[in-house]
mmCIF file of all heavy atoms in Angstrom:
data_model
loop_
_atom_site.group_PDB
_atom_site.id
_atom_site.type_symbol
_atom_site.label_atom_id
_atom_site.label_comp_id
_atom_site.label_asym_id
_atom_site.label_seq_id
_atom_site.Cartn_x
_atom_site.Cartn_y
_atom_site.Cartn_z
ATOM 1 N N VAL A 104 -14.880 13.965 11.665
ATOM 2 C CA VAL A 104 -14.150 14.957 12.449
ATOM 3 C C VAL A 104 -14.223 14.563 13.922
ATOM 4 O O VAL A 104 -15.272 14.132 14.406
ATOM 5 C CB VAL A 104 -14.771 16.368 12.272
ATOM 6 C CG1 VAL A 104 -14.114 17.382 13.188
ATOM 7 C CG2 VAL A 104 -14.696 16.816 10.824
ATOM 8 N N THR A 105 -13.100 14.726 14.617
ATOM 9 C CA THR A 105 -13.090 14.567 16.070
ATOM 10 C C THR A 105 -12.594 15.879 16.660
ATOM 11 O O THR A 105 -11.536 16.380 16.280
ATOM 12 C CB THR A 105 -12.185 13.410 16.515
ATOM 13 O OG1 THR A 105 -12.610 12.214 15.853
ATOM 14 C CG2 THR A 105 -12.275 13.198 18.019
ATOM 15 N N VAL A 106 -13.396 16.439 17.564
ATOM 16 C CA VAL A 106 -13.080 17.706 18.227
ATOM 17 C C VAL A 106 -12.747 17.408 19.680
ATOM 18 O O VAL A 106 -13.534 16.759 20.381
ATOM 19 C CB VAL A 106 -14.281 18.680 18.152
ATOM 20 C CG1 VAL A 106 -13.956 19.985 18.866
ATOM 21 C CG2 VAL A 106 -14.704 18.923 16.712
ATOM 22 N N TYR A 107 -11.594 17.881 20.118
ATOM 23 C CA TYR A 107 -11.180 17.736 21.514
ATOM 24 C C TYR A 107 -11.237 19.115 22.158
ATOM 25 O O TYR A 107 -10.657 20.075 21.622
ATOM 26 C CB TYR A 107 -9.755 17.177 21.599
ATOM 27 C CG TYR A 107 -9.611 15.833 20.942
ATOM 28 C CD1 TYR A 107 -9.196 15.728 19.615
ATOM 29 C CD2 TYR A 107 -9.911 14.668 21.629
ATOM 30 C CE1 TYR A 107 -9.077 14.492 18.995
ATOM 31 C CE2 TYR A 107 -9.791 13.416 21.020
ATOM 32 C CZ TYR A 107 -9.376 13.350 19.707
ATOM 33 O OH TYR A 107 -9.264 12.127 19.090
ATOM 34 N N LEU A 108 -11.935 19.218 23.271
ATOM 35 C CA LEU A 108 -12.083 20.485 23.989
ATOM 36 C C LEU A 108 -11.634 20.322 25.432
ATOM 37 O O LEU A 108 -11.921 19.302 26.056
ATOM 38 C CB LEU A 108 -13.554 20.922 23.996
ATOM 39 C CG LEU A 108 -14.194 21.204 22.647
ATOM 40 C CD1 LEU A 108 -15.699 21.314 22.780
ATOM 41 C CD2 LEU A 108 -13.625 22.499 22.096
ATOM 42 N N THR A 109 -10.980 21.351 25.962
ATOM 43 C CA THR A 109 -10.617 21.305 27.378
ATOM 44 C C THR A 109 -11.770 21.748 28.264
ATOM 45 O O THR A 109 -11.722 21.552 29.471
ATOM 46 C CB THR A 109 -9.378 22.177 27.673
ATOM 47 O OG1 THR A 109 -9.649 23.522 27.279
ATOM 48 C CG2 THR A 109 -8.150 21.629 26.960
ATOM 49 N N ASP A 110 -12.805 22.334 27.659
ATOM 50 C CA ASP A 110 -13.984 22.762 28.418
ATOM 51 C C ASP A 110 -15.219 22.596 27.532
ATOM 52 O O ASP A 110 -15.386 23.330 26.561
ATOM 53 C CB ASP A 110 -13.828 24.217 28.850
ATOM 54 C CG ASP A 110 -14.949 24.704 29.749
ATOM 55 O OD1 ASP A 110 -15.996 24.008 29.874
ATOM 56 O OD2 ASP A 110 -14.801 25.795 30.330
ATOM 57 N N MET A 111 -16.069 21.655 27.861
ATOM 58 C CA MET A 111 -17.260 21.397 27.056
ATOM 59 C C MET A 111 -18.214 22.595 27.048
ATOM 60 O O MET A 111 -19.068 22.701 26.165
ATOM 61 C CB MET A 111 -17.973 20.130 27.542
ATOM 62 C CG MET A 111 -18.937 19.544 26.529
ATOM 63 S SD MET A 111 -18.211 19.238 24.895
ATOM 64 C CE MET A 111 -17.643 17.579 25.093
ATOM 65 N N ASN A 112 -18.020 23.538 27.951
ATOM 66 C CA ASN A 112 -18.819 24.766 27.915
ATOM 67 C C ASN A 112 -18.512 25.595 26.671
ATOM 68 O O ASN A 112 -19.293 26.476 26.312
ATOM 69 C CB ASN A 112 -18.587 25.603 29.181
ATOM 70 C CG ASN A 112 -19.181 24.950 30.406
ATOM 71 O OD1 ASN A 112 -20.292 24.428 30.375
ATOM 72 N ND2 ASN A 112 -18.433 24.959 31.497
ATOM 73 N N ASP A 113 -17.389 25.327 26.008
ATOM 74 C CA ASP A 113 -17.030 26.010 24.759
ATOM 75 C C ASP A 113 -17.697 25.385 23.537
ATOM 76 O O ASP A 113 -17.581 25.920 22.430
ATOM 77 C CB ASP A 113 -15.507 25.976 24.556
ATOM 78 C CG ASP A 113 -14.763 26.855 25.535
ATOM 79 O OD1 ASP A 113 -15.343 27.852 26.020
ATOM 80 O OD2 ASP A 113 -13.592 26.545 25.822
ATOM 81 N N PHE A 114 -18.407 24.281 23.723
ATOM 82 C CA PHE A 114 -18.970 23.541 22.594
ATOM 83 C C PHE A 114 -19.878 24.400 21.725
ATOM 84 O O PHE A 114 -19.799 24.351 20.498
ATOM 85 C CB PHE A 114 -19.727 22.300 23.077
ATOM 86 C CG PHE A 114 -20.339 21.504 21.955
ATOM 87 C CD1 PHE A 114 -19.556 20.685 21.167
ATOM 88 C CD2 PHE A 114 -21.690 21.612 21.674
ATOM 89 C CE1 PHE A 114 -20.113 19.964 20.118
ATOM 90 C CE2 PHE A 114 -22.252 20.890 20.631
ATOM 91 C CZ PHE A 114 -21.459 20.067 19.850
ATOM 92 N N LYS A 115 -20.741 25.217 22.327
ATOM 93 C CA LYS A 115 -21.684 26.026 21.542
ATOM 94 C C LYS A 115 -20.940 26.977 20.609
ATOM 95 O O LYS A 115 -21.279 27.091 19.429
ATOM 96 C CB LYS A 115 -22.613 26.803 22.471
ATOM 97 C CG LYS A 115 -23.637 27.619 21.741
ATOM 98 C CD LYS A 115 -24.581 28.344 22.670
ATOM 99 C CE LYS A 115 -25.574 29.146 21.852
ATOM 100 N NZ LYS A 115 -26.425 29.975 22.659
ATOM 101 N N VAL A 116 -19.911 27.642 21.114
ATOM 102 C CA VAL A 116 -19.136 28.576 20.297
ATOM 103 C C VAL A 116 -18.397 27.819 19.190
ATOM 104 O O VAL A 116 -18.416 28.233 18.029
ATOM 105 C CB VAL A 116 -18.138 29.363 21.177
ATOM 106 C CG1 VAL A 116 -17.182 30.189 20.332
ATOM 107 C CG2 VAL A 116 -18.892 30.249 22.154
ATOM 108 N N VAL A 117 -17.772 26.713 19.545
ATOM 109 C CA VAL A 117 -17.058 25.901 18.557
ATOM 110 C C VAL A 117 -18.024 25.428 17.477
ATOM 111 O O VAL A 117 -17.722 25.481 16.286
ATOM 112 C CB VAL A 117 -16.337 24.715 19.234
ATOM 113 C CG1 VAL A 117 -15.778 23.743 18.199
ATOM 114 C CG2 VAL A 117 -15.238 25.216 20.156
ATOM 115 N N ASN A 118 -19.192 24.992 17.870
ATOM 116 C CA ASN A 118 -20.191 24.498 16.930
ATOM 117 C C ASN A 118 -20.633 25.596 15.957
ATOM 118 O O ASN A 118 -20.810 25.341 14.761
ATOM 119 C CB ASN A 118 -21.388 23.942 17.703
ATOM 120 C CG ASN A 118 -22.165 22.939 16.914
ATOM 121 O OD1 ASN A 118 -21.602 22.078 16.245
ATOM 122 N ND2 ASN A 118 -23.477 23.031 16.990
ATOM 123 N N GLU A 119 -20.811 26.823 16.463
ATOM 124 C CA GLU A 119 -21.209 27.941 15.593
ATOM 125 C C GLU A 119 -20.132 28.222 14.544
ATOM 126 O O GLU A 119 -20.432 28.418 13.371
ATOM 127 C CB GLU A 119 -21.477 29.182 16.436
ATOM 128 C CG GLU A 119 -22.762 29.101 17.236
ATOM 129 C CD GLU A 119 -22.932 30.256 18.212
ATOM 130 O OE1 GLU A 119 -22.176 31.251 18.131
ATOM 131 O OE2 GLU A 119 -23.831 30.156 19.071
ATOM 132 N N ILE A 120 -18.878 28.234 14.964
ATOM 133 C CA ILE A 120 -17.773 28.480 14.031
ATOM 134 C C ILE A 120 -17.619 27.306 13.067
ATOM 135 O O ILE A 120 -17.461 27.492 11.858
ATOM 136 C CB ILE A 120 -16.476 28.767 14.804
ATOM 137 C CG1 ILE A 120 -16.634 30.073 15.594
ATOM 138 C CG2 ILE A 120 -15.274 28.825 13.855
ATOM 139 C CD1 ILE A 120 -15.593 30.307 16.646
ATOM 140 N N TYR A 121 -17.699 26.101 13.582
ATOM 141 C CA TYR A 121 -17.607 24.878 12.774
ATOM 142 C C TYR A 121 -18.631 24.925 11.632
ATOM 143 O O TYR A 121 -18.317 24.573 10.493
ATOM 144 C CB TYR A 121 -17.866 23.694 13.703
ATOM 145 C CG TYR A 121 -17.848 22.324 13.081
ATOM 146 C CD1 TYR A 121 -16.701 21.547 13.100
ATOM 147 C CD2 TYR A 121 -19.004 21.777 12.518
ATOM 148 C CE1 TYR A 121 -16.697 20.264 12.561
ATOM 149 C CE2 TYR A 121 -19.001 20.510 11.978
ATOM 150 C CZ TYR A 121 -17.849 19.757 11.995
ATOM 151 O OH TYR A 121 -17.856 18.494 11.462
ATOM 152 N N SER A 122 -19.841 25.385 11.918
ATOM 153 C CA SER A 122 -20.899 25.413 10.902
ATOM 154 C C SER A 122 -20.617 26.433 9.806
ATOM 155 O O SER A 122 -21.237 26.387 8.743
ATOM 156 C CB SER A 122 -22.260 25.682 11.544
ATOM 157 O OG SER A 122 -22.335 27.013 12.022
ATOM 158 N N GLN A 123 -19.665 27.341 10.026
ATOM 159 C CA GLN A 123 -19.258 28.283 8.982
ATOM 160 C C GLN A 123 -18.223 27.662 8.033
ATOM 161 O O GLN A 123 -17.995 28.177 6.943
ATOM 162 C CB GLN A 123 -18.684 29.548 9.619
ATOM 163 C CG GLN A 123 -19.700 30.319 10.426
ATOM 164 C CD GLN A 123 -19.068 31.400 11.286
ATOM 165 O OE1 GLN A 123 -17.914 31.778 11.105
ATOM 166 N NE2 GLN A 123 -19.836 31.902 12.236
ATOM 167 N N TYR A 124 -17.607 26.583 8.448
ATOM 168 C CA TYR A 124 -16.580 25.909 7.647
ATOM 169 C C TYR A 124 -17.116 24.681 6.922
ATOM 170 O O TYR A 124 -16.595 24.313 5.874
ATOM 171 C CB TYR A 124 -15.398 25.497 8.535
ATOM 172 C CG TYR A 124 -14.502 26.647 8.906
ATOM 173 C CD1 TYR A 124 -14.865 27.548 9.892
ATOM 174 C CD2 TYR A 124 -13.276 26.824 8.266
ATOM 175 C CE1 TYR A 124 -14.043 28.605 10.242
ATOM 176 C CE2 TYR A 124 -12.441 27.884 8.610
ATOM 177 C CZ TYR A 124 -12.834 28.776 9.595
ATOM 178 O OH TYR A 124 -12.019 29.829 9.927
ATOM 179 N N PHE A 125 -18.112 24.027 7.488
ATOM 180 C CA PHE A 125 -18.673 22.814 6.900
ATOM 181 C C PHE A 125 -20.122 23.058 6.515
ATOM 182 O O PHE A 125 -20.810 23.853 7.146
ATOM 183 C CB PHE A 125 -18.596 21.644 7.888
ATOM 184 C CG PHE A 125 -17.196 21.204 8.191
ATOM 185 C CD1 PHE A 125 -16.551 21.650 9.333
ATOM 186 C CD2 PHE A 125 -16.510 20.353 7.337
ATOM 187 C CE1 PHE A 125 -15.250 21.258 9.621
ATOM 188 C CE2 PHE A 125 -15.211 19.958 7.608
ATOM 189 C CZ PHE A 125 -14.581 20.406 8.753
ATOM 190 N N SER A 126 -20.565 22.376 5.464
ATOM 191 C CA SER A 126 -21.955 22.486 5.032
ATOM 192 C C SER A 126 -22.529 21.092 4.810
ATOM 193 O O SER A 126 -21.804 20.100 4.827
ATOM 194 C CB SER A 126 -22.045 23.332 3.758
ATOM 195 O OG SER A 126 -21.239 22.776 2.737
ATOM 196 N N GLU A 127 -23.817 21.034 4.595
ATOM 197 C CA GLU A 127 -24.480 19.746 4.393
ATOM 198 C C GLU A 127 -23.998 19.094 3.103
ATOM 199 O O GLU A 127 -23.764 19.796 2.126
ATOM 200 C CB GLU A 127 -25.993 19.945 4.359
ATOM 201 C CG GLU A 127 -26.536 20.342 5.713
ATOM 202 C CD GLU A 127 -28.052 20.375 5.740
ATOM 203 O OE1 GLU A 127 -28.688 19.584 5.011
ATOM 204 O OE2 GLU A 127 -28.579 21.190 6.487
ATOM 205 N N PRO A 128 -23.859 17.821 3.080
ATOM 206 C CA PRO A 128 -24.024 16.898 4.195
ATOM 207 C C PRO A 128 -22.822 16.999 5.139
ATOM 208 O O PRO A 128 -21.665 16.903 4.711
ATOM 209 C CB PRO A 128 -24.087 15.520 3.538
ATOM 210 C CG PRO A 128 -23.283 15.677 2.278
ATOM 211 C CD PRO A 128 -23.473 17.125 1.846
ATOM 212 N N TYR A 129 -23.110 17.262 6.404
ATOM 213 C CA TYR A 129 -22.053 17.431 7.397
ATOM 214 C C TYR A 129 -21.310 16.118 7.628
ATOM 215 O O TYR A 129 -21.891 15.045 7.548
ATOM 216 C CB TYR A 129 -22.630 17.913 8.728
ATOM 217 C CG TYR A 129 -23.255 19.283 8.633
ATOM 218 C CD1 TYR A 129 -24.635 19.449 8.712
ATOM 219 C CD2 TYR A 129 -22.471 20.412 8.462
ATOM 220 C CE1 TYR A 129 -25.212 20.699 8.623
ATOM 221 C CE2 TYR A 129 -23.041 21.673 8.373
ATOM 222 C CZ TYR A 129 -24.406 21.814 8.450
ATOM 223 O OH TYR A 129 -24.972 23.052 8.355
ATOM 224 N N PRO A 130 -20.014 16.224 7.955
ATOM 225 C CA PRO A 130 -19.254 15.008 8.282
ATOM 226 C C PRO A 130 -19.755 14.391 9.592
ATOM 227 O O PRO A 130 -20.331 15.092 10.435
ATOM 228 C CB PRO A 130 -17.821 15.516 8.467
ATOM 229 C CG PRO A 130 -17.801 16.950 8.111
ATOM 230 C CD PRO A 130 -19.198 17.431 8.017
ATOM 231 N N ALA A 131 -19.521 13.118 9.760
ATOM 232 C CA ALA A 131 -19.742 12.496 11.067
ATOM 233 C C ALA A 131 -18.797 13.194 12.039
ATOM 234 O O ALA A 131 -17.722 13.647 11.649
ATOM 235 C CB ALA A 131 -19.441 11.001 10.994
ATOM 236 N N ARG A 132 -19.200 13.291 13.315
ATOM 237 C CA ARG A 132 -18.366 14.045 14.250
ATOM 238 C C ARG A 132 -18.513 13.525 15.667
ATOM 239 O O ARG A 132 -19.578 13.065 16.065
ATOM 240 C CB ARG A 132 -18.759 15.519 14.216
ATOM 241 C CG ARG A 132 -17.895 16.388 15.115
ATOM 242 C CD ARG A 132 -18.298 17.824 15.087
ATOM 243 N NE ARG A 132 -19.559 18.018 15.780
ATOM 244 C CZ ARG A 132 -20.197 19.170 15.851
ATOM 245 N NH1 ARG A 132 -19.704 20.237 15.264
ATOM 246 N NH2 ARG A 132 -21.330 19.274 16.499
ATOM 247 N N ALA A 133 -17.436 13.630 16.405
ATOM 248 C CA ALA A 133 -17.448 13.382 17.844
ATOM 249 C C ALA A 133 -16.817 14.606 18.503
ATOM 250 O O ALA A 133 -15.915 15.222 17.943
ATOM 251 C CB ALA A 133 -16.651 12.128 18.191
ATOM 252 N N ALA A 134 -17.304 14.952 19.687
ATOM 253 C CA ALA A 134 -16.719 16.029 20.485
ATOM 254 C C ALA A 134 -16.432 15.454 21.864
ATOM 255 O O ALA A 134 -17.325 14.876 22.491
ATOM 256 C CB ALA A 134 -17.659 17.217 20.573
ATOM 257 N N ILE A 135 -15.192 15.613 22.299
ATOM 258 C CA ILE A 135 -14.739 14.979 23.530
ATOM 259 C C ILE A 135 -14.069 16.014 24.418
ATOM 260 O O ILE A 135 -13.219 16.781 23.949
ATOM 261 C CB ILE A 135 -13.738 13.849 23.200
ATOM 262 C CG1 ILE A 135 -14.380 12.824 22.262
ATOM 263 C CG2 ILE A 135 -13.199 13.200 24.459
ATOM 264 C CD1 ILE A 135 -13.390 11.958 21.537
ATOM 265 N N GLU A 136 -14.427 16.030 25.700
ATOM 266 C CA GLU A 136 -13.738 16.889 26.656
ATOM 267 C C GLU A 136 -12.527 16.142 27.195
ATOM 268 O O GLU A 136 -12.624 14.969 27.566
ATOM 269 C CB GLU A 136 -14.658 17.284 27.805
ATOM 270 C CG GLU A 136 -13.994 18.265 28.759
ATOM 271 C CD GLU A 136 -14.925 18.743 29.859
ATOM 272 O OE1 GLU A 136 -15.519 17.877 30.534
ATOM 273 O OE2 GLU A 136 -15.045 19.960 30.023
ATOM 274 N N VAL A 137 -11.394 16.835 27.219
ATOM 275 C CA VAL A 137 -10.139 16.252 27.708
ATOM 276 C C VAL A 137 -9.566 17.140 28.808
ATOM 277 O O VAL A 137 -9.919 18.306 28.927
ATOM 278 C CB VAL A 137 -9.115 16.089 26.561
ATOM 279 C CG1 VAL A 137 -9.614 15.102 25.509
ATOM 280 C CG2 VAL A 137 -8.799 17.429 25.902
ATOM 281 N N SER A 138 -8.667 16.585 29.599
ATOM 282 C CA SER A 138 -8.117 17.352 30.719
ATOM 283 C C SER A 138 -7.047 18.356 30.285
ATOM 284 O O SER A 138 -6.759 19.294 31.010
ATOM 285 C CB SER A 138 -7.542 16.410 31.776
ATOM 286 O OG SER A 138 -6.471 15.672 31.238
ATOM 287 N N GLY A 139 -6.486 18.178 29.119
ATOM 288 C CA GLY A 139 -5.477 19.115 28.641
ATOM 289 C C GLY A 139 -5.061 18.779 27.221
ATOM 290 O O GLY A 139 -5.244 17.660 26.761
ATOM 291 N N LEU A 140 -4.514 19.791 26.528
ATOM 292 C CA LEU A 140 -4.030 19.621 25.160
ATOM 293 C C LEU A 140 -2.629 20.210 25.043
ATOM 294 O O LEU A 140 -2.244 21.086 25.831
ATOM 295 C CB LEU A 140 -4.967 20.315 24.164
ATOM 296 C CG LEU A 140 -6.368 19.725 24.040
ATOM 297 C CD1 LEU A 140 -7.291 20.669 23.276
ATOM 298 C CD2 LEU A 140 -6.313 18.370 23.362
ATOM 299 N N ALA A 141 -1.882 19.759 24.060
ATOM 300 C CA ALA A 141 -0.530 20.272 23.815
ATOM 301 C C ALA A 141 -0.579 21.780 23.597
ATOM 302 O O ALA A 141 -1.582 22.326 23.107
ATOM 303 C CB ALA A 141 0.080 19.578 22.600
ATOM 304 N N LYS A 142 0.503 22.443 23.943
ATOM 305 C CA LYS A 142 0.661 23.889 23.753
ATOM 306 C C LYS A 142 -0.393 24.701 24.501
ATOM 307 O O LYS A 142 -0.669 25.844 24.159
ATOM 308 C CB LYS A 142 0.660 24.267 22.266
ATOM 309 C CG LYS A 142 1.639 23.494 21.409
ATOM 310 C CD LYS A 142 3.040 24.001 21.579
ATOM 311 C CE LYS A 142 3.981 23.290 20.612
ATOM 312 N NZ LYS A 142 5.325 23.787 20.684
ATOM 313 N N ASP A 143 -1.030 24.086 25.497
ATOM 314 C CA ASP A 143 -2.053 24.751 26.313
ATOM 315 C C ASP A 143 -3.249 25.233 25.474
ATOM 316 O O ASP A 143 -3.889 26.237 25.785
ATOM 317 C CB ASP A 143 -1.445 25.903 27.104
ATOM 318 C CG ASP A 143 -2.276 26.262 28.324
ATOM 319 O OD1 ASP A 143 -2.934 25.369 28.897
ATOM 320 O OD2 ASP A 143 -2.280 27.450 28.699
ATOM 321 N N ALA A 144 -3.536 24.509 24.388
ATOM 322 C CA ALA A 144 -4.661 24.860 23.523
ATOM 323 C C ALA A 144 -5.986 24.509 24.195
ATOM 324 O O ALA A 144 -6.047 23.638 25.060
ATOM 325 C CB ALA A 144 -4.545 24.112 22.194
ATOM 326 N N LYS A 145 -7.037 25.196 23.769
ATOM 327 C CA LYS A 145 -8.384 24.911 24.251
ATOM 328 C C LYS A 145 -9.114 23.940 23.326
ATOM 329 O O LYS A 145 -10.100 23.336 23.705
ATOM 330 C CB LYS A 145 -9.199 26.205 24.345
ATOM 331 C CG LYS A 145 -8.684 27.207 25.354
ATOM 332 C CD LYS A 145 -9.521 28.479 25.296
ATOM 333 C CE LYS A 145 -9.021 29.540 26.229
ATOM 334 N NZ LYS A 145 -9.081 29.174 27.624
ATOM 335 N N VAL A 146 -8.611 23.811 22.073
ATOM 336 C CA VAL A 146 -9.256 22.960 21.080
ATOM 337 C C VAL A 146 -8.196 22.287 20.206
ATOM 338 O O VAL A 146 -7.148 22.864 19.932
ATOM 339 C CB VAL A 146 -10.253 23.773 20.202
ATOM 340 C CG1 VAL A 146 -9.550 24.846 19.397
ATOM 341 C CG2 VAL A 146 -11.080 22.871 19.302
#
Side-chain angles (χ1 to χ4, degrees):
V104 174
T105 304
V106 179
Y107 301 94
L108 298 167
T109 58
D110 185 348
M111 198 53 90
N112 290 317
D113 290 333
F114 180 77
K115 182 178 180 186
V116 172
V117 171
N118 204 43
E119 287 172 12
I120 295 166
Y121 179 95
S122 70
Q123 296 168 15
Y124 284 78
F125 293 98
S126 57
E127 291 187 31
Y129 296 109
R132 183 181 72 184
I135 303 161
E136 184 176 52
V137 296
S138 63
L140 294 167
K142 308 282 185 177
D143 202 31
K145 296 177 183 297
V146 63

